[in-house]
Amino acid sequence: MTAGPFALSKNKDVQERHSVLQADGTIATGAQPRMEEEFLLEALRWMMKSRLYDTRVISLQRQGQFGVFSPGMGQEASIVGSAMALDPTRDWIVPQYRELMATVHHGLPLEIITAQYLGKIGPARIPDGVRVLPTQVSIAAQLPQATGLAWGLRLRGEDAVVMAYIGEGGSSEGDFHEALNLAGVTKSPIVFFLQNNQWAISTSRRVQSATASFAFRAAGYGFPGVQVDGNDVMAVYDVAVAAVERARKGEGPTLIESVTYRMSFHNTTDNPSRYEDPKEHEEARTRDPIERVQKYLTGLGLWDKKREAALTEELTQENEAALQLAFAAPAPVPADVFANVYDHPPQRVVQQEAELLDGRRD
Amino acid sequence: MPEEKLYRVALREALGEEMERDDTVYLIGEDIGKFGGAYRVTDGLLDKFGAERVVDAPIAEEVIVGTAIGSAMLGLRPVVEMMTINFSLVAYDQIVNNAAKIRYMFGGEANVPLVIRMPGGAGHQLSAQHSHSLEVLYGLIPGLLVVAPTTPEDAKGMLKSAIRTNNPVMFLESMSLYNVRGMVPDGDYTTPLGQAAVRRKGADLTIVGVSRMAVLANEAAKQLEEEDIDVEVIDLRSIRPIDWPPIVESVNRTTRCMVVEEGWATYGVTAEIAAGVQERCFDYLDAPIRRLGGAQVPMPYSLPLEKASIPTSEDIKRMARKVVGRKTDA
C-alpha cells in the first residue's frame, strides 16, 4: 500500500490504492506522511467545519429555511485534502457542486456561498480575486471549461494550476472524455479530481462503468491516473500535491480517483433508503475520514475529548456567524430579475421589465 | 369506473399498460429503476418488468438517446426519460440530426418509434440549468412530433399514442403538473396526437395556452367571468403539428386572441401561433394578438426572482383585460 502517487499508471493491479492513514488511525506500513502534524490539525479543522456546516444546513433545509443542498458528508478528506494542495493566490478551483468547503478553503467566504443557497443575488457574487468558478449542475459541463481555463492560463504564461472536480457518475458523460482528451493533447496544467462516492443519485458505481478503476481511464488520454483512499486526508493530500507539482512543471494533467463514500444523500430531495443497502452504509461508516485523524492525533497526544469539544464549539460559532450574515443580507426584488442578462439590455427586455413592474408593484 | 388520479400516476399506468401489451416497449433513463425516476413516474415498474426493460443508464444523455434510436430502428419501442428537458440538450444532436431525420434519409426504410419523456418548467428553485421550457427547440424540427399534455387523462392517453406511433415523439411533461389530479377513463384508451382541446367556450377572447399555461389560462378565465369577460381557452396540446382548425374557428368567432407560454416569447411557440392566427384570421381580428411568456432571462434560483419570471394567472388576466379593451384592473 506504499506505492508512490503515480505508480498506478504503470501498475495493472487495481487494488493498489494510495493509503497513508488507515481507517483504524494507524499509519500504513512503510508510508511516509507528507503532512506535518500541525498541518494535519488544520486539515482536521476544515473537515470538522465541513461536517458541522452540512449538519446545520440540512436541519435548516428540513425547516424550509434553506435551498436544495448536496452535503459533502463522508467525503471531507477528499474535499479538504485536494484543496489544501492548491495555492489560492494563483491556482483555480472548478467545482461540480459537492465541494463547498474546498472553495471556502480557497478563499470564497462561507457567508457568500450561504447567501447563494438562500437566493440572495448580490451578496452571493464571487468576489474579485477569488479563483473559483460557480457551482455547476449540468453534469460534467465544467470539465471542458476547466480544460479551456487551464489552457488559457498557460497561454497567458501564468504559473497556475486548475483543480477540476467531477464524480464517478459524471465521468460517464461525453464531456468528461472530450475534456480529458484535449487536456492530454494540450498538456494543460490541470488536475481532474474524480470523487468516486459510489453513488449518482440512485445509480451505483457498477452501473456507471465496467472499468475496474476510474483512474485507468487516464491511460487512454496519455497522462497518469492514480487511485487514492479518498477517506484518508494524508493520502489525498499526497497525490494532489504531486499532481499539482506535475501540472505546474508543465508535464500535463493527472486524473485522481478518490475512492470515498457518500454518507448522506445526493441532495436534500433524495431518499437513499429506496436503493442503498444499509449494510454497505454501515460498513462505510467504519472508514470515517474524520474519526481516523482524531484517533491518530490522540495517539500522538495531540487530541482528546476536551479539545474536540472546544473546536466543535468554535467552528459552530464560525458557521453560525456566516449563516447570520447570509440571512441578514438583502433579498432580491422582482425588478432584479432582468439584471445581467446582457451588458446593455435590449429593447424587448426593457419593455418586459416595464410590463412586469407595472403589474407587480410589490 | 373512471377514477381521479395524479398526472404522474396516469403516466405510470400508460407505461405499464403499454409494456404489458407490447413486449418491444422498454424504458431507459437515469434513476428510473429502484429510485422510480426523479419525479416518481416509473415507480414500481422495475419490480414488475425487470432490469432489462427498465434500464438505469449511466449519466450520458447522448448515448441514452443514441442507444434508444439504434434499438428503435430494429423495431423496439424505447421510452426515454430525461430528468429534465434541459438535459436533452446534451442529446440534441441525436434527437435533431438523427431521430428526426433517419426515416427521411433512409427513404422510409427505417422508423424511429422513440418517445422521449421530459419535464420542463420552473417554480421549484432548480435554477437556470434545470428549469426551462424549451418546447420551441423541438417544435421547429420536421420529423418530430411534439406534445405537451396538461391533464391526467391526456397524459395517459397521449403517452399511449406516442408509444404506438412510428414517429419520434418529444413528450413534454411539466414539473408543476405531476401532482395535479383529474379524472382518468377506465381501461385501454388512447388520445390522438396532433389535436388541440377546447377547455372552455367563450365569446369575448380566445386564449391559447401551451402546456401548464393552458391550466393557468383556464383559472384566469374562471376569474374573468366575474368581470364579464367571457374567455374561450384552447389547450394547444400538440406543438408540432399545430392543430389550426379549432384555433381559427374560435378566433374568428371571438375576434380577439392572446397566446401564453412559460418559455420565452421571442421566437417562442407563442410567436408561431400569433403569426399563424394573423395569416388565417386577419379579416376577423378586432385587436392585435398579444403574447405572454416568461421573463427573458436564465431562470433564477432565487425564489422571489423565480416567481417574478413565470407568468401567473394574474398576468394572464391583466393582459386579457387589455386585449378586450378594459383599461382598469378590476
Side-chain angles (χ1 to χ4, degrees):
Chain A
M1 302 300 277
T2 59
F6 303 113
L8 247 187
S9 57
K10 297 179 192 114
N11 191 331
K12 287 180 182 154
D13 180 3
V14 64
Q15 300 308 324
E16 197 78 41
R17 182 178 296 175
H18 187 59
S19 159
V20 177
L21 180 59
Q22 301 172 115
D24 63 2
T26 62
I27 298 291
T29 316
Q32 291 174 332
R34 200 190 283 244
M35 265 189 173
E36 305 275 334
E37 282 146 14
E38 200 173 317
F39 200 48
L40 182 61
L41 274 165
E42 193 191 329
L44 175 61
R45 187 180 203 286
W46 281 102
M47 292 197 291
M48 286 173 65
K49 183 176 171 77
S50 178
R51 188 162 298 180
L52 288 165
Y53 182 82
D54 283 352
T55 308
R56 176 75 171 116
V57 301
I58 290 167
S59 157
L60 286 172
Q61 193 278 338
R62 299 303 187 221
Q63 298 164 47
Q65 294 183 58
F66 210 78
V68 174
F69 181 72
S70 290
M73 285 169 162
Q75 300 174 224
E76 291 89 350
S78 287
I79 293 165
V80 170
S82 55
M84 287 181 87
L86 297 172
D87 173 1
T89 65
R90 53 180 166 164
D91 297 330
W92 282 80
I93 282 184
V94 178
Q96 181 86 70
Y97 51 72
R98 206 186 294 281
E99 300 85 20
L100 184 149
M101 213 43 82
T103 64
V104 176
H105 182 272
H106 211 63
L108 186 55
L110 184 57
E111 61 269 25
I112 285 183
I113 302 178
T114 308
Q116 177 194 320
Y117 278 105
L118 296 174
K120 311 284 181 78
I121 301 300
R125 190 177 169 278
I126 295 177
D128 294 341
V130 175
R131 294 163 186 263
V132 173
L133 293 195
T135 54
Q136 172 62 263
V137 295
S138 278
I139 301 300
Q142 74 277 18
L143 296 185
Q145 296 163 11
T147 294
L149 179 63
W151 180 234
L153 290 166
R154 167 61 42 83
L155 289 181
R156 291 211 311 208
E158 290 192 29
D159 185 21
V161 174
V162 175
M163 177 81 70
Y165 291 89
I166 184 71
E168 88 287 351
S171 79
S172 297
E173 290 276 19
D175 273 357
F176 174 87
H177 301 280
E178 294 176 27
L180 270 68
N181 190 52
L182 186 60
V185 170
T186 54
K187 274 195 153 185
S188 292
I190 185 165
V191 180
F192 295 102
F193 194 89
L194 185 155
Q195 293 198 72
N196 175 2
N197 71 4
Q198 315 299 327
W199 293 102
I201 308 187
S202 75
T203 306
S204 75
R205 174 252 177 272
R206 294 281 158 219
V207 175
Q208 291 302 338
S209 175
T211 186
S213 162
F214 291 91
F216 283 169
R217 291 181 164 176
Y221 310 117
F223 53 79
V226 56
Q227 198 185 60
V228 62
D229 177 352
N231 286 13
D232 173 351
V233 73
M234 296 168 97
V236 170
Y237 178 73
D238 270 5
V239 297
V241 164
V244 167
E245 281 173 0
R246 219 184 90 79
R248 212 181 301 282
K249 278 191 285 183
E251 292 170 13
T254 303
L255 171 62
I256 297 172
E257 178 191 3
S258 187
V259 182
T260 178
Y261 198 87
R262 190 188 73 191
M263 289 304 292
S264 51
F265 32 71
H266 166 64
N267 65 30
T268 42
T269 69
D270 185 17
N271 176 10
S273 71
R274 294 174 70 94
Y275 53 81
E276 186 186 31
D277 182 348
K279 279 189 215 140
E280 192 183 345
H281 191 93
E282 279 315 303
E283 198 277 323
R285 194 176 291 283
T286 65
R287 289 180 273 117
D288 190 273
I290 294 177
E291 283 171 19
R292 72 175 71 181
V293 174
Q294 292 172 335
K295 277 183 199 157
Y296 174 67
L297 291 171
T298 302
L300 296 178
L302 294 170
W303 193 253
D304 52 38
K305 286 289 161 202
K306 205 175 140 198
R307 273 180 259 208
E308 183 175 339
L311 184 57
T312 301
E313 176 58 25
E314 184 188 329
L315 293 171
T316 302
Q317 287 187 11
E318 256 182 47
N319 288 347
E320 212 53 40
L323 279 162
Q324 291 317 316
L325 278 173
F327 273 109
V333 295
D336 292 338
V337 81
F338 294 102
N340 297 317
V341 185
Y342 296 98
D343 53 352
H344 300 292
Q347 188 50 38
R348 177 70 198 158
V349 171
V350 173
Q351 186 191 332
Q352 198 176 25
E353 185 173 0
E355 285 168 4
L356 180 85
L357 293 181
D358 183 38
R360 300 180 189 174
R361 290 180 195 284
D362 52 313
Chain B
M1 282 289 285
E3 248 186 278
E4 203 165 70
K5 285 172 184 160
L6 292 176
Y7 186 96
R8 81 174 81 232
V9 172
L11 290 167
R12 187 184 304 147
E13 285 185 358
L15 293 170
E17 288 173 25
E18 290 305 296
M19 289 174 84
E20 265 179 15
R21 186 181 157 272
D22 178 353
D23 61 15
T24 66
V25 177
Y26 78 98
L27 315 183
I28 183 166
E30 292 159 7
D31 298 293
I32 64 171
K34 279 187 190 166
F35 195 54
Y39 296 93
R40 301 290 180 273
V41 171
T42 56
D43 211 7
L45 296 177
L46 174 68
D47 290 341
K48 198 163 181 191
F49 296 102
E52 294 203 336
R53 292 185 72 195
V54 180
V55 182
D56 264 332
I59 310 178
E61 293 78 11
E62 178 88 347
V63 79
I64 290 172
V65 175
T67 300
I69 290 172
S71 67
M73 290 168 72
L74 200 66
L76 296 182
R77 293 187 173 274
V79 182
V80 172
E81 177 175 298
M82 286 282 158
M83 206 174 279
T84 100
I85 191 169
N86 302 263
F87 298 176
S88 75
L89 299 183
V90 182
Y92 204 58
D93 181 65
Q94 284 292 343
I95 298 168
V96 173
N97 257 334
N98 293 277
K101 297 178 180 173
I102 281 170
R103 186 185 155 79
Y104 187 80
M105 297 197 316
F106 284 73
E109 203 179 331
N111 287 313
V112 182
L114 160 73
V115 181
I116 304 182
R117 295 181 34 246
M118 45 195 179
H124 305 269
Q125 273 204 287
L126 294 173
S127 81
Q129 293 170 326
H130 282 37
S131 306
H132 279 294
S133 297
L134 303 172
E135 293 89 337
V136 68
L137 294 185
Y138 298 107
L140 62 81
I141 308 296
L144 299 179
L145 298 175
V146 184
V147 298
T150 67
T151 66
E153 177 179 353
D154 283 356
K156 182 171 179 180
M158 287 166 73
L159 184 51
K160 283 172 159 259
S161 293
I163 292 170
R164 292 183 198 184
T165 176
N166 284 331
N167 301 295
V169 181
M170 307 306 286
F171 195 89
L172 307 177
E173 298 162 9
S174 161
M175 287 179 198
S176 302
L177 292 177
Y178 284 126
N179 279 333
V180 164
R181 280 181 187 282
M183 295 306 288
V184 173
D186 254 354
D188 184 33
Y189 72 96
T190 59
T191 308
L193 307 180
Q195 291 184 7
V198 179
R199 296 295 180 203
R200 181 193 163 90
K201 288 303 251 183
D204 298 334
L205 162 68
T206 303
I207 302 182
V208 181
V210 182
S211 187
R212 191 174 74 92
M213 289 300 126
V215 178
L216 289 195
N218 224 12
E219 283 172 21
K222 273 179 207 153
Q223 292 160 17
L224 287 167
E225 223 173 73
E226 292 163 21
E227 299 172 33
D228 280 331
I229 301 175
D230 188 15
V231 177
E232 179 144 328
V233 176
I234 297 181
D235 179 351
L236 189 63
R237 293 203 297 190
S238 174
I239 289 155
R240 186 175 195 100
I242 295 168
D243 185 15
W244 287 111
I247 299 172
V248 171
E249 187 279 323
S250 173
V251 175
N252 285 350
R253 187 159 35 74
T254 63
T255 73
R256 288 177 165 85
C257 179
M258 68 177 265
V259 199
V260 196
E261 68 183 313
E262 191 170 323
W264 301 303
T266 298
Y267 296 103
V269 180
T270 50
E272 181 61 29
I273 301 292
V277 169
Q278 183 272 136
E279 284 171 2
R280 292 167 173 84
C281 309
F282 185 77
D283 290 335
Y284 293 83
L285 286 170
D286 283 330
I289 304 159
R290 296 287 301 253
R291 291 184 285 147
L292 180 62
Q296 301 201 15
V297 305
M299 189 57 67
Y301 166 83
S302 177
L303 194 58
L305 297 190
E306 187 181 37
K307 281 184 176 163
S309 304
I310 312 168
T312 62
S313 58
E314 286 303 315
D315 296 329
I316 296 173
K317 281 158 62 180
R318 195 174 306 114
M319 187 175 277
R321 290 185 199 109
K322 284 183 185 159
V323 179
V324 298
R326 301 286 174 88
K327 287 223 160 47
T328 53
D329 285 4

